[in-house]
């Protein structure tokens, strides 16, 4: 053990002699400083300093934000503002230079790899201006410089402030420079106006240096503001590259969010001064498992800006169809989906067919590489992780997408990240040609998302009507509650249970069922809902679905009811209640005949027969099933709206008797 200590002492003395031999005695006649004075208050590992650098050529503003593995130096001179970033975890440095073109500024980023020969102690090439951090006791890679010491030499009054004077002589390896620095620090033992008690503030640093080839530099840092241990969130914002800056080949230290909920709803506001409607409100919902998405847009009416127009678009990737519904007019159009739809992707090996994209595709995060630019404050008390990506466009044009995802609120980390904002900028020949900002609000995973799709889809079916072979049925039946179970305690849960049971037992996609209404008549429950027909044709989908037609589902529902097999399991706390649909209680109002058979060859779907002419009002009775066919979509729509109004105004019992008289007819 004693031999090891002797070896370490010899190594230390040898290293000291080598460094001493490198010291230029013309700058440091007494050699390097080897005693650390206790009067000096150690510089923390996190700080911000704002200075003016004065030399024989003039003055420039220099500030540094410093952290153990990162720092940024900002220089403001007559040539403009330039930021230099050092990242010692990824061994990269970035210079951000504003490039002005046609009075529009697009920041340029120059990336370089930090190598063993890189000079990271200076603020600009070909000059010996050291970073403030190097003068304050940190090495060229932002770690504590164990060979740096400082000595107290006296006091002085500096611009009316009592100051302690310190001096330090040391050697900087990367530039092979001998440095002599004199520090003026406020006297912590004396009360000074506008200065905190018992805290020393750096006031001024005077520097003389010379490198091994004899190049000399004399300059002075006048410290305007020195903040030790700043707020960490603000510090993160400072040491990361600014918004909108893309650095080619940058090493991304954090990947984009990948565990995004496959079912979600979110509201949004879009801002763009270059579009007809600068502000557009929106709402989006998607369900990856069901291959369904919805987009709502509210924008001013061109002819009457005080009026908002509301348009909804539904994307059904199981059928390859999209529905465009106008809420004001109640009109709907149905179109084939294409790969140009934002949430659509082509099928691998089948470029003529489309499928629903991944969640990452939904957020435009899968077609270009993104790089992490750091943590920034989205709003007061809200911190975000930020990524930016570049997409090369034709004719020397580029698109930049910048994503903000909420990381924490009030310094509390969230259990999951949520999208906050996306900024898209297009540049043509370095000139900004287009910009849009989309803000996301209330992004969440809902308890039930099906009504977001099914209700509007039912409105579209009623608008298109049976003439387009989009048939709708309004169905009701009674659930017996002879044991007087307390089912009324939670109507929402009761409705959801009935909805889920119907979708499962009928074997239909849940979007075909909508507007489930529960009314109580004494002990019993009257259930009314809308059931949609299978789509009469399909779009460009590679996998053909086989939805059962409307009348066969009504027949099967009648069979389950009359055979006493349609059971509902209603849970109330820890208790389960089992109730059944009453025999012979099914009633249905259908707006069309059976859909005509279709044949699909994987390329297109065509209708093989002509639908029979619709009678004015025809009633077909099949045992206990009563189906009323009507030839007008608006008639059934009017009935449904009237029913809802009646249910609200008259109440459960009154609504039941109104329906009862209607069904008897």
């Amino acid at each position: 053990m004693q031999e090891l200590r002797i070896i370490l002492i010899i190594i230390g003395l040898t290293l000291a002699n080598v460094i001493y031999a490198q010291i230029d005695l013309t700058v440091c006649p007494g050699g390097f400083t080897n005693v650390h004075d206790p009067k000096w208050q150690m510089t923390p590992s996190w700080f911000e300093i704002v200075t003016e650098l004065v030399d024989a050529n003039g003055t420039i503003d220099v500030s540094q934000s410093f952290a153990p593995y990162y720092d940024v130096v900002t220089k403001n001179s007559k040539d403009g503002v330039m930021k230099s970033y050092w990242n010692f975890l990824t061994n990269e440095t970035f210079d951000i230079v504003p490039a002005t073109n046609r009075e529009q500024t697009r920041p340029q980023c120059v990336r370089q790899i930090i190598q063993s020969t890189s000079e990271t102690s200076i603020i600009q090439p070909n000059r010996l201006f050291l970073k403030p951090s190097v003068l304050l006791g940190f090495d060229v890679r932002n770690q504590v410089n164990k060979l740096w010491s400082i000595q107290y030499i006296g006091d002085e009054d500096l611009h009316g402030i009592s100051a302690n004077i310190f001096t330090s002589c040391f050697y900087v390896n990367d530039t092979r420079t001998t440095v002599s620095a004199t520090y003026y620090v406020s006297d912590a033992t004396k009360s000074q106006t506008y200065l905190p008690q018992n805290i020393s503030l750096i006031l001024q640093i005077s520097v003389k240096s010379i490198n091994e080839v004899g190049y000399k530099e004399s300059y002075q840092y006048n410290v305007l503001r020195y903040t030790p241990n700043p707020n960490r969130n603000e510090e993160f914002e400072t040491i990361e590259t600014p918004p909108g800056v893309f650095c080619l080949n940058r090493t991304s230290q954090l990947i984009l969010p990948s565990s995004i909920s496959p079912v979600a709803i979110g509201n949004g506001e879009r801002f763009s001064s270059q579009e007809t409607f600068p502000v557009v409100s929106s709402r989006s919902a998607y369900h990856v498992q069901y291959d369904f998405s919805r987009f709502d847009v509210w924008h001013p009416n061109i002819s009457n800006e005080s009026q908002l127009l509301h348009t909804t678009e539904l994307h059904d990737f199981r059928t390859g169809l999209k529905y465009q519904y106008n809420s004001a007019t109640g009109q709907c159009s149905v179109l084939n989906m294409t790969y140009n739809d934002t949430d659509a992707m082509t099928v691998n090996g089948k470029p003529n067919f489309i499928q629903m994209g991944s969640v990452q595709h939904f957020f435009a995060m899968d077609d270009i590489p993104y790089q992490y630019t750091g943590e920034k404050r989205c709003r007061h008390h809200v911190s975000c992780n930020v990524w930016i990506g570049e997409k090369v466009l034709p004719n020397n044009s580029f698109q930049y997408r910048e994503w903000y995802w909420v990381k924490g609120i009030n310094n509390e980390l969230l259990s999951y990240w949520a999208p906050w904002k996306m900024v898209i900028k297009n540049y043509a020949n370095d000139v900004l040609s287009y910009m849009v900002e989309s803000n996301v609000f209330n992004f969440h995973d809902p308890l039930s998302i099906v009504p977001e799709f099914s209700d509007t889809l039912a409105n579209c079916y009623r608008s298109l009507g049976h003439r387009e072979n989009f048939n709708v049925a309004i169905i009701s039946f009674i659930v017996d509650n002879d044991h007087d179970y307390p089912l009324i305690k939670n109507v929402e849960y009761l409705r959801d249970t009935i909805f889920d049971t119907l979708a499962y037992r009928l074997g239909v996609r849940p979007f075909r069922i909508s507007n489930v209404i529960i009314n109580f008549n004494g002990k019993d429950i009257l259930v009314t809902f809308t059931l949609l027909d299978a789509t009469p044709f399909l779009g460009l989908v590679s996998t053909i679905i086989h939805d059962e037609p409307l009348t066969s589902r009504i027949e099967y529902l009648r069979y389950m009811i009359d055979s006493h097999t349609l059971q509902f399991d209603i849970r109330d706390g820890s208790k389960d209640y089992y109730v059944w649909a009453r025999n012979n209680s099914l009633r249905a109002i259908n707006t069309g005949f059976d859909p005509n058979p279709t044949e699909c060859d994987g390329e297109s779907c065509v209708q093989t027969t002509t639908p029979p002419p619709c009678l004015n009002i025809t009633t077909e009775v099949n045992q206990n099933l009563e189906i009323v066919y009507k030839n007008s979509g608006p008639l059934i729509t009017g009935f449904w709206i009237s029913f809802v109004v009646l249910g609200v105004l008259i109440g459960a019992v009154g609504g039941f008797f109104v329906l009862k008289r209607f069904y008897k007819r």
Side-chain angles (χ1 to χ4, degrees):
M1 188 67 180
Q2 186 174 0
E3 293 178 355
L4 178 60
R5 290 179 180 175
I6 294 173
I7 293 174
L8 292 176
I9 292 173
I10 293 173
I11 293 175
L13 292 174
T14 303
L15 181 60
N17 289 332
V18 170
I19 295 175
Y20 186 83
Q22 294 172 330
I23 290 287
D24 191 307
L25 298 180
T26 62
V27 174
C28 295
F32 66 88
T33 306
N34 55 12
V35 177
H36 197 86
D37 200 294
K39 288 178 66 70
W40 174 263
Q41 293 188 359
M42 293 296 296
T43 306
S45 297
W46 298 75
F47 68 84
E48 291 179 351
I49 189 168
V50 179
T51 73
E52 58 178 11
L53 189 154
V54 182
D55 73 339
N57 297 321
T59 302
I60 62 173
D61 295 331
V62 176
S63 63
Q64 183 185 24
S65 295
F66 181 86
Y69 297 100
Y70 312 85
D71 70 295
V72 55
V73 172
T74 304
K75 301 182 292 293
N76 189 355
S77 66
K78 61 182 180 180
D79 298 324
V81 179
M82 180 174 177
K83 288 178 175 286
S84 298
Y85 294 79
W86 288 266
N87 186 333
F88 295 104
L89 291 177
T90 61
N91 284 322
E92 295 171 300
T93 179
F94 311 101
D95 290 324
I96 311 297
V97 183
T100 303
N101 190 334
R102 298 184 190 176
E103 299 182 354
Q104 296 194 46
T105 301
R106 177 194 173 199
Q108 302 289 331
C109 179
V110 179
R111 170 187 176 269
Q112 292 180 325
I113 298 176
I114 298 177
Q115 300 176 343
S116 59
T117 57
S118 298
E119 297 178 345
T120 61
S121 65
I122 53 178
I123 65 173
Q124 68 183 59
N126 304 321
R127 298 298 298 267
L128 296 181
F129 296 145
L130 291 176
K131 295 178 181 177
S133 59
V134 176
L135 293 169
L136 294 175
F138 294 92
D139 65 15
V140 297
R141 294 185 64 87
N142 289 19
Q143 302 303 300
V144 174
N145 186 353
K146 297 181 180 180
L147 299 178
W148 181 87
S149 296
I150 194 166
Q151 183 177 3
Y152 170 73
I153 61 173
D155 299 325
E156 184 177 313
D157 185 82
L158 183 67
H159 306 301
I161 300 176
S162 297
N164 301 141
I165 305 175
F166 296 83
T167 185
S168 178
C169 275
F170 58 97
Y171 187 80
V172 181
N173 293 323
D174 62 345
T175 58
R176 298 179 176 85
T177 301
T178 300
V179 180
S180 174
T182 303
Y183 305 79
Y184 296 83
V185 181
S186 64
D187 192 338
T189 64
K190 297 182 180 180
S191 176
Q192 300 289 339
T193 306
Y194 308 118
L195 292 178
Q197 292 288 335
N198 300 320
I199 294 180
S200 293
L201 296 181
I202 302 169
L203 305 175
Q204 181 178 294
I205 306 175
S206 298
V207 184
K208 293 182 180 180
S209 60
I210 185 172
N211 63 10
E212 64 178 8
V213 297
Y215 179 79
K216 297 181 179 181
E217 197 85 75
S218 295
Y219 56 95
Q220 177 177 293
Y221 279 118
N222 294 322
V223 180
L224 306 178
R225 180 170 61 86
Y226 170 66
T227 307
N229 294 314
N231 179 280
R232 289 296 176 88
N233 291 334
E234 295 177 358
E235 182 71 11
F236 273 123
E237 295 175 35
T238 307
I239 63 178
E240 300 293 354
T241 50
V245 174
F246 178 83
C247 299
L248 187 64
N249 298 324
R250 178 177 185 170
T251 302
S252 186
Q253 294 181 262
L254 189 65
I255 63 173
L256 279 166
S258 57
S259 57
I260 309 173
S261 173
V263 182
I265 296 176
N267 298 336
E269 293 283 347
R270 190 186 67 180
F271 304 92
S272 177
S273 60
Q274 296 152 301
E275 296 190 5
T276 305
F277 307 113
V279 180
V280 174
S281 299
S282 64
R283 177 178 171 85
S284 302
Y286 64 86
H287 197 303
V288 174
Q289 180 182 355
Y290 290 150
D291 288 329
F292 219 102
S293 61
R294 169 180 176 146
F295 305 91
D296 291 84
V297 176
W298 291 264
H299 60 82
N301 190 344
I302 297 179
S303 58
N304 182 8
E305 294 187 358
S306 62
Q307 178 187 12
L308 281 180
L309 298 181
H310 176 203
T311 303
T312 302
E313 186 163 297
L314 303 176
H315 292 181
D316 184 355
F317 287 91
R318 296 284 179 90
T319 63
L321 303 179
K322 61 181 175 182
Y323 303 84
Q324 296 175 342
Y325 180 70
N326 188 317
S327 299
T329 63
Q331 294 179 331
C332 184
S333 59
V334 57
L335 305 169
N336 286 337
M337 294 194 64
T338 69
Y339 65 89
N340 290 322
D341 292 304
T342 56
D343 52 345
M345 295 178 62
T346 57
V347 178
N348 290 335
K350 299 179 180 179
N352 294 328
F353 297 98
I354 57 98
Q355 62 183 346
M356 187 174 187
S358 63
V359 179
Q360 283 71 24
H361 184 78
F362 190 84
F363 287 100
M365 299 191 307
D366 65 339
D367 60 331
I368 58 174
Y370 282 80
Q371 57 184 230
Y372 181 66
T373 65
E375 182 179 323
K376 297 176 176 60
R377 183 166 54 180
C378 297
R379 188 175 290 179
H380 192 53
H381 297 307
V382 179
S383 59
C384 287
N385 285 320
V386 184
W387 292 263
I388 190 171
E390 179 188 66
K391 184 174 184 178
V392 180
L393 303 176
N395 302 321
N396 195 29
S397 298
F398 298 88
Q399 180 183 90
Y400 297 95
R401 303 180 202 153
E402 194 168 28
W403 256 120
Y404 292 72
W405 287 72
V406 178
K407 173 186 178 182
I409 300 176
N410 291 325
N411 295 324
E412 295 289 337
L413 296 180
L414 300 181
S415 58
Y416 65 93
W417 296 342
W420 180 271
K421 179 174 67 174
M422 185 182 195
V423 179
I424 298 177
K425 294 181 180 180
N426 285 8
Y427 288 89
N429 297 317
D430 289 340
V431 178
L432 182 65
S433 58
Y434 175 78
M435 175 180 173
V436 61
E437 177 181 313
S438 298
N439 294 273
V440 182
F441 308 99
N442 195 26
F443 180 82
H444 65 285
D445 183 354
L447 295 176
S448 177
I449 197 173
V450 172
E452 293 281 337
F453 307 127
S454 60
D455 293 352
T456 303
L457 186 60
N459 290 337
C460 268
Y461 264 68
R462 284 190 285 269
S463 172
L464 295 167
H466 77 277
R467 293 188 183 278
E468 301 289 339
N469 286 325
F470 285 87
N471 303 306
V472 181
I474 297 178
I475 301 171
S476 76
F477 60 88
I478 296 173
V479 176
D480 280 330
N481 187 19
D482 296 335
H483 297 285
D484 199 14
Y485 295 135
L487 305 181
I488 197 173
K489 291 174 59 177
N490 192 340
V491 177
E492 291 291 336
Y493 175 74
L494 176 63
R495 178 166 47 243
D496 291 342
T497 301
I498 292 175
F499 174 89
D500 294 339
T501 303
L502 287 173
Y504 174 73
R505 295 298 304 276
L506 289 175
V508 297
R509 293 197 297 158
F511 308 124
R512 291 179 60 180
I513 299 176
S514 62
N515 300 308
V516 178
I517 294 180
I518 304 297
N519 280 310
F520 290 90
N521 179 33
K523 298 179 182 180
D524 298 329
I525 303 169
L526 174 64
V527 179
T528 307
F529 67 97
T530 300
L531 181 62
L532 305 183
D533 202 352
T535 55
F537 57 90
L538 300 176
L540 299 175
V541 290
S542 59
T543 303
I544 305 301
I545 63 170
H546 299 283
D547 274 349
E548 292 291 335
L550 179 62
T551 51
S552 74
R553 293 302 85 197
I554 297 176
E555 287 283 355
Y556 184 61
L557 179 61
R558 179 200 60 79
Y559 167 77
M560 288 190 293
I561 291 175
D562 291 351
S563 62
H564 201 62
T565 58
L566 184 57
Q567 173 187 295
F568 301 96
D569 180 5
I570 313 298
R571 175 174 289 272
D572 179 23
S574 60
K575 295 182 179 180
D576 286 326
Y577 301 113
Y578 298 96
V579 291
W580 285 263
R582 177 181 296 172
N583 292 356
N584 303 326
S585 66
L586 179 65
R587 297 293 184 272
I589 306 170
N590 192 356
T591 63
F593 295 92
D594 289 343
N596 297 298
T598 58
E599 293 181 357
C600 300
D601 57 6
E603 296 291 339
S604 61
C605 298
V606 295
Q607 197 164 286
T608 58
T609 61
T610 303
C614 297
L615 304 179
N616 186 25
I617 295 180
T618 304
T619 302
E620 175 184 322
V621 180
N622 183 355
Q623 295 182 8
N624 297 314
L625 172 64
E626 183 181 12
I627 304 178
V628 180
Y629 297 99
K630 293 182 177 290
N631 64 354
S632 174
L635 284 179
I636 199 68
T637 304
F639 163 75
W640 184 252
I641 295 174
S642 300
F643 170 76
V644 173
V645 173
L646 285 173
V648 173
L649 296 181
I650 301 175
V653 177
F656 170 77
F657 285 110
V658 169
L659 280 176
K660 187 175 181 180
R661 289 196 299 271
F662 181 86
Y663 288 136
K664 284 184 177 180
R665 293 203 305 271

